[in-house]
Amino acid sequence: MSNSLDNRLNPFETLISEQPANNNRPLKLNVGGQLFETTPSTLQRGGPDSLLFSLSTILTSPIFIDRDPQIFSLLLSLLRTGRLPSLSLQFSKEELLEEAQYYGIEALLKKAMAPPPLQGFDMSRVAVIWPENSGFQTKKGSFRAVFATSGDGSLWVAHDGQITGYDSMLSHSGTFRTHIDRISSLSRISPLTCGIGSEETPGLHFYQLLGGQFLGSVNWVDPSDPRIFKASVTAIDSSETNVFASFECRHRENCILSVDQSSLKVVSEIGRQGGSSAKAMAAMKLRFLKEFGALMVVSVTSGAFGHSGYVRLWDLRSGGVVWEWIEPGSGRSGRFGDTMADVDADEVLGAMFKVCSKSGDIAMADLRNLGSGDPWIYLEESNPSLKNSGGGHGSLIHCYNEQVFCSKESGLEAWCKIPGTEHLERETVPERLLERETLPEKAFRRNFVERESRGVITGIECGGERLFLSREGSEEIQVWETRRSSGSFLA
Amino acid sequence: MPPFAGPPLQKTQFCHPKRETPNIITLNVGGQIFQTSPQTLTLAGPNSLLCTLTTSSLGSIPFIDRDPDLFSILLTLLRTGTLPSRAKVLDPEDLIHEAQFYNIEHLLISAITDPSSFYPLNLQKTLILPINGRDSPSAIATHQDGSVLVSHGSKITAFDWSLRRKTSFLTEFPAIDSLLFLSPSVAAAGASDYSGVKILDINSGLGIKTLNWDNPIYSTVQAIGASPEFLFASFESCRKNSNLIQVFDRESFRPLIDLGHEEKQGVEIGSAIPATKLNWVSSQALLMASGSYSGPFGCVGSIKLWDIRSGSRVAEIKENEDCFADVTVNDGIWGLFKVGLVSGEVYMMDLRRLGSSERWVSLGEGCSKVMNGNGKREGVNSKIVGHGNSVFCSRGENVEVWSEVLMGGKEKEGVFRKNVMGRREKVGQSKITQLDFGGNRMVLARKDEQAIEVWQGSGTNFVNWGWN
């Protein structure tokens, strides 16, 4: 893993300067019969809780440790330089991790092995995850993998009724069976718990990820209305304290329930609606926007006359709708007949992005400046050969770290910001500087990641500088990363 | 007091060299110096060469004239209990040979085939073991160390725990129907059309003893079973009019007691059905014996539970409707499991509540297909085996695994959920005829295939890295 660590190791330098002088005295270690010489300050880089930190205060020398010397020499270079030497490729990741855990420096190792920042215009497929013993129950072709990731790049995949976990090094960390036969939504609520829902089995269910222990269920009930019965979950997201789940009854009445994470009890009911028209359908996507204290609710359905749906922003404190966008509708939209296929939001940019179902264009709306008019700014690609990417029917859109990933059937596009184009608002740019290049619609460039002929993309998730992709009819989850090694080989 | 508090100090592996010098042991293996602690070396076990070094190493450094690279792998095995990844590039034979030299093969076995590392949802098809000759496997037996015995025709092939070495030997049976491991080197075999249970030495292939029911002139063996103390054999007379289960001492093979001697009376179908499966229920110290008879008007059978000490029958379950195709006991989850011959569904009965009017509970999707009218037998040839906390059932070319999901609640209730093992893509395989579990392995045989399939959890990593 020859990842350079960029600026992430800066804290080390300050650490050295703060230490008293005797921390630079030579210190001898005898690991499994091999002698190592280092300084206490190097050993202390693992953090005060590590075993090596406590060894560094011992004055007798040499200190004997009954472990494998080869792996220790790698971990010592990790402590010295902050990077793993290439010799570490001889060892499996599990072995390195186990040994690092023994010395208490696994956080450092994980940091050194983490992928570099994800750049949508420079990604390569680094791995394919294919869980064992996957769903036989679904017919071939109709399979849809449901997966969730988190900030450390670990992945949990739900295939039919079971959930398989992969840790931040993408090593398999466990599989368990849930009581549900077909999981259709999965969300990580905390590093150790997940919420799952199914279109067939009613209720929102919570499981402990390691060990697979069932924690409890939440159902939508209304004592005053007996028709609220057997509501299934269509989308899940969570904030730090609450879980939001969209419930839909058999007769299409739906609402969003806010559930307290610690007690697993319903706190409030948001946006109950009848489900009789496209603007009152159950949500297919929930995004909690922490910066704005709002919940973004997206519902798009595809029918004989094309896509229709809505985006709503709910203020969680007041419980009211802050902003709403319905397509097709109201005549506010500048693009009649080119309705949205999917919407997502990027909190860092403070912007919302949609993909149009007919033209496949991407539009952006400033979350801080949503008025009553049409907020959408349609992104333009200045390279004429890249202008058309095909229609956006059934496209998915996913935002991650100021980048927008959009699927076009089996292909994937990444819209990345051009460095230096910081002006999002047209009004702030002085009139004389208003050149074409500084316009917000010119701030992003389209990049085709790869056009694979097989399998329409059914899911995009990003986390831990990785992009995960699932395709229709396949149980594989593709893992994409930006890689620093050139991948050159001898001609 | 430990010299430093905090992170995991599993064993006292650290020591101050100046105060407690003998706490570090220096070894010279093939010219390379290794240092370790006596605690690590004692983990090798009292019979090991390494353990003797802990006491005798005062003064000069002991020299062992062996390969240092292989030793460093075995030392890691001693320290961590797992094999390092650099062992994977080696031929396992090298390691086995080296481990035998140091007498720590048992550690190698437990690192590779440890039954506690058996996770049913992580199994994948890892190995195919070909067997020679034209006969396909008629019986499989497994040992808990992961070794496998296969009978094909009149031959038995034994694969050792590493599945790298095999021996075959010829028996006097025309075909073998029951096969059982008694120890890693001793097996019991029987045939439903040949007289007597043969106790065989696996290494030499020679018979040690033949166990016979001495009442009639000639009696066939319908099933063999074993508990830690006893060996059970279900005998039927050659005229098929009487049968019994005989209990033998597992060490001396002395007959101890006869269970359920039955003589056929008249023409009644349900009487005197010999037991074709013998399962030991260790949690209750009972023997489960099951047998069925299939006639033109359907299939009838019975499942009996015997108390060995008193020789009495504790419970009997009569099977008239949807008789079992196969029955098994899973001690870990207190259940008796059957797969219905007609419906093909998997049923469970609570072992703890047998005597009462306990009934079979279907684990399936709830839709009862018991009388499906068309006369099709959905469960025919299905095998059911309990292992770990799961129940495995073969169905056609696939294996289903039923695992319990604990739902909490008042009585810590669980529900059973099904998975089909393997990936969906694999089609066009033949039907499974034999299924067994040993160590961390699932072993199965398919119809008309001269090979055994071995399924294992391949370590922990299932990720297929693109650049490898």
Side-chain angles (χ1 to χ4, degrees), chain A residues 30 66 95 133 170 179 475, chain B residues 35 40 85 417 422 424 463:
Chain A
N30 175 353
D66 188 18
E95 250 177 307
N133 300 318
L170 297 183
H179 69 284
E475 291 160 41
Chain B
Q35 281 183 319
T40 300
S85 61
R417 288 292 181 262
R424 189 151 27 101
V463 182

Side-chain angles (χ1 to χ4, degrees), chain A residues 1 30 32-34 49-51 54-55 58 60-70 90-95 98-99 101-102 125-141 143 162 166 169-181 207 212-214 466 473 475 481 483, chain B residues 3-11 13-19 23-25 33-37 39-40 72 75-76 79-80 82-86 88 119-125 365 398 403-408 412 415 417-426 455 459-467:
Chain A
M1 307 287 115
N30 175 353
Q34 201 172 319
D49 293 333
S50 74
L51 175 67
S54 46
L55 287 178
I58 296 173
T60 50
S61 172
I63 304 164
F64 178 67
I65 307 175
D66 188 18
R67 298 297 282 194
D68 189 291
Q70 286 183 39
Q90 292 175 1
F91 296 90
S92 74
K93 288 173 286 160
E94 289 83 16
E95 250 177 307
E98 191 189 339
E99 214 65 7
Q101 272 165 345
Y102 182 82
R125 199 177 76 189
V126 295
V128 171
I129 288 173
W130 191 6
E132 282 299 322
N133 300 318
S134 320
F136 253 89
Q137 299 183 1
T138 32
K139 288 188 187 72
K140 192 177 165 87
F143 181 84
Q162 63 205 1
Y166 298 88
M169 296 180 185
L170 297 183
S171 301
H172 180 265
S173 55
T175 302
F176 64 91
R177 183 70 162 87
T178 65
H179 69 284
I180 289 181
D181 280 334
Y207 272 87
Q213 195 198 344
F214 176 72
R466 288 193 178 112
E475 291 160 41
E481 284 174 14
R483 305 206 62 211
Chain B
F4 25 78
L9 284 174
Q10 301 125 330
K11 297 156 206 138
Q13 289 184 337
F14 299 86
C15 22
H16 289 284
K18 278 181 186 161
R19 254 186 284 159
N23 266 351
I24 300 178
I25 289 176
I33 298 292
F34 293 90
Q35 281 183 319
T36 183
S37 66
Q39 286 89 342
T40 300
S72 84
L75 191 58
T76 307
R79 281 173 179 146
T80 63
T82 52
L83 279 177
S85 61
R86 60 180 184 273
K88 281 178 194 137
Y119 303 109
L121 296 177
N122 296 357
L123 291 182
Q124 57 177 323
K125 186 155 93 179
E365 283 77 27
N398 292 320
S403 35
E404 194 176 17
V405 184
L406 292 173
M407 299 298 294
K412 286 268 166 218
V415 292
R417 288 292 181 262
K418 179 174 88 170
N419 279 94
V420 183
M421 301 180 73
R423 287 179 174 150
R424 189 151 27 101
E425 264 77 336
K426 307 238 168 74
W455 293 56
T460 52
N461 197 348
F462 285 35
V463 182
N464 170 20
W465 287 90
W467 62 74

